[in-house]
Amino acid sequence: MAFEKDFKPVLRFTVVSDVHYQNEDTVERARMKQAIETSYALSEKEEYPNLDALYVVGDFANSGTRKQMLAFKQTLDENLKEGTEVAVSLASHEYMTDGEAAALERFGRIFGMEPDTHKVINGYHFISVTCTNGCHFDDAKREWVIPFSFI
């Protein structure tokens, strides 16, 4: 497909997964900060300078401890700029400390967001779904997603 010279983007976003924050301050924290900084730097060089969204699609923590979740939230708070939407979903590693129910409750308290989200950003639909039940998508999750498949 040829790139059109007149192309003007209307949306820019970054997606990351498997960041695996540890309890200790390890290289993963520096890498996540660098990923955010690089996303902004690349965006700001362009005619359309916005970074509209950051999506984190699971395994942001290595075992889902409170300390790991707080550290990841701190990285987001310290590095994301106003106007960048953020969505974070959980996967198997976030459940390793004390199971799904406790991890989901802790996530809600720390991040102040739902684990499943639907956002319209610049006219585009973004759907983020957290796996459950052994990191699968059960009937309830499928029912939640179905209406979005018709958008």
Side-chain angles (χ1 to χ4, degrees):
M1 175 190 293
F3 186 74
E4 294 183 33
K5 290 186 344 183
D6 296 341
F7 175 77
K8 298 214 186 325
V10 295
L11 175 72
R12 190 178 313 274
F13 61 95
T14 297
V15 179
V16 299
S17 71
D18 295 278
V19 181
H20 291 281
Y21 268 43
Q22 309 286 322
N23 285 331
E24 306 78 31
D25 186 359
T26 56
V27 69
E28 290 79 13
R29 296 181 192 196
R31 287 178 180 156
M32 184 64 202
K33 179 181 178 189
Q34 183 178 18
I36 295 170
E37 290 172 348
T38 300
S39 294
Y40 282 116
L42 291 171
S43 299
E44 291 166 355
K45 289 181 180 179
E46 301 296 329
E47 183 177 334
Y48 180 80
N50 301 348
L51 178 62
D52 298 299
L54 169 68
Y55 271 65
V56 181
V57 293
D59 292 342
F60 63 89
N62 197 54
S63 60
T65 66
R66 180 177 184 276
K67 190 171 187 175
Q68 292 167 11
M69 288 191 185
L70 284 170
F72 193 79
K73 175 75 164 77
Q74 181 179 2
T75 298
L76 298 179
D77 290 346
E78 290 176 354
N79 294 284
L80 291 175
K81 297 179 182 178
E82 187 175 333
T84 301
E85 294 277 343
V86 65
V88 180
S89 60
L90 295 83
S92 60
H93 279 260
E94 282 77 36
Y95 302 144
M96 289 182 170
T97 294
D98 50 9
E100 289 178 15
L104 288 166
E105 187 278 327
R106 183 170 42 255
F107 172 81
R109 226 179 332 104
I110 291 170
F111 288 87
M113 64 177 72
E114 294 293 322
D116 302 327
T117 62
H118 166 243
K119 297 180 181 189
V120 178
I121 303 171
N122 294 0
Y124 292 89
H125 293 263
F126 284 75
I127 301 162
S128 178
V129 183
T130 288
C131 63
T132 55
N133 299 318
C135 218
H136 294 92
F137 298 105
D138 60 18
D139 290 340
K141 292 284 181 173
R142 288 185 190 103
E143 290 296 321
W144 185 84
V145 170
I146 285 173
F148 303 118
S149 64
F150 298 105
I151 295 176

